[in-house]
């Protein structure tokens, strides 16, 4: 375990994130036991676009960007920083990753593998359900923001068309 992140500091950071909201301290500790600690260096690729999902990631520190390639173009979807999660939509939806996750700034993350998620469902169904509820809320927030972004983009595109 990294000297900058002992178990108590990881727990303090984790319980401040939406994935651990409405969980008791005991539940948070138990949930945390299913996560693995990992670190990445700048320019590391955590997963590749179209790859098979393996984990949900929670950033403790650092920055990660999601980048989608389409033909010869590359689009940055979003930067994720401390307290944010990514990879959950692909894992829960059993869908390929929509983008590649690339480290912008050295980072420390917690990963919950699909195997650990399955173990959680077998070992503590109530905690599993609470965690899924938190994940669902996080996915809904992201979908809401995507809807706003897309409608703003369509609106701007319509304005550009009408001005020409």
């Amino acid at each position: 375990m990294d000297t900058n992140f002992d178990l108590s500091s990881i727990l303090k950071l984790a319980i401040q994130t939406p994935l651990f909201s409405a969980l008791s301290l005991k539940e948070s500790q138990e949930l945390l036991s299913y996560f693995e600690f990992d670190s990445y260096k700048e320019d590391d690729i955590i997963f590749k676009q179209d790859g098979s999902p393996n984990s949900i990631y929670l950033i403790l520190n650092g920055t990660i960007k999601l980048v989608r390639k389409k033909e010869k173009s590359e689009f940055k979807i979003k930067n994720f920083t401390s307290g944010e999660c990514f990879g959950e939509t692909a894992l829960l939806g059993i869908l390929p990753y929509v983008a590649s996750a690339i480290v912008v700034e050295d980072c420390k993350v917690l990963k919950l593998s699909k195997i650990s998620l399955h173990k959680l469902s077998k070992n503590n169904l109530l905690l599993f359900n609470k965690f899924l509820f938190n994940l669902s809320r996080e996915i809904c927030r992201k979908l809401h923001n995507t809807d706003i972004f897309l409608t703003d983009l369509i609106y701007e595109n319509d304005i550009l068309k009408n001005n020409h």
Side-chain angles (χ1 to χ4, degrees):
M1 181 80 55
D2 186 77
T3 55
N4 294 325
F5 285 97
D6 60 18
L7 197 54
S8 66
S9 61
I10 289 174
L11 180 62
K12 274 184 191 175
L13 284 168
I15 61 176
Q16 295 173 8
T17 69
L19 293 187
F20 286 76
S21 68
L23 298 180
S24 70
L25 183 60
K26 184 180 176 193
E27 289 172 324
S28 294
Q29 289 171 321
E30 182 178 344
L31 179 58
L32 202 54
S33 72
Y34 288 89
F35 282 79
E36 297 172 41
F37 180 84
D38 210 347
S39 60
Y40 297 94
K41 297 287 184 195
E42 184 179 341
D43 296 325
D44 281 352
I45 298 172
I46 297 174
F47 56 74
K48 291 186 178 184
Q49 179 177 321
D50 299 323
S52 180
N54 293 313
S55 299
I56 296 167
Y57 300 84
L58 176 62
I59 302 173
L60 296 173
N61 72 2
T63 306
I64 294 163
K65 66 180 176 180
L66 286 186
V67 177
R68 179 164 173 79
K69 290 185 179 179
K70 187 78 172 165
E71 294 179 17
K72 295 180 183 178
S73 298
E74 185 175 286
F75 305 94
K76 183 182 93 174
I77 295 174
K78 183 176 181 352
N79 277 357
F80 292 94
T81 59
S82 179
E84 294 184 289
C85 67
F86 63 98
E88 72 283 3
T89 305
L91 187 68
L92 290 180
I94 314 170
L95 299 165
Y97 289 119
V98 73
S100 296
I102 303 167
V103 178
V104 174
E105 173 185 48
D106 291 3
C107 64
K108 310 275 190 251
V109 300
L110 293 175
K111 311 192 292 197
L112 180 65
S113 70
K114 61 183 167 188
I115 292 169
S116 292
L117 186 62
H118 182 71
K119 283 180 187 174
L120 175 61
S121 74
K122 295 293 181 200
N123 296 340
N124 189 335
L125 189 57
L126 179 61
L127 182 57
F128 174 75
N129 287 334
K130 286 182 175 184
F131 181 65
L132 277 186
F133 183 72
N134 288 343
L135 272 176
S136 299
R137 291 176 90 183
E138 192 62 19
I139 291 169
C140 288
R141 285 183 196 108
K142 289 178 181 180
L143 182 58
H144 175 80
N145 291 337
T146 299
D147 288 347
I148 290 170
F149 174 77
L150 288 175
T151 54
D152 288 350
L153 195 60
I154 291 167
Y155 175 74
E156 290 171 15
N157 189 42
D158 285 347
I159 289 174
L160 287 173
K161 275 191 212 175
N162 291 335
N163 287 339
H164 282 89

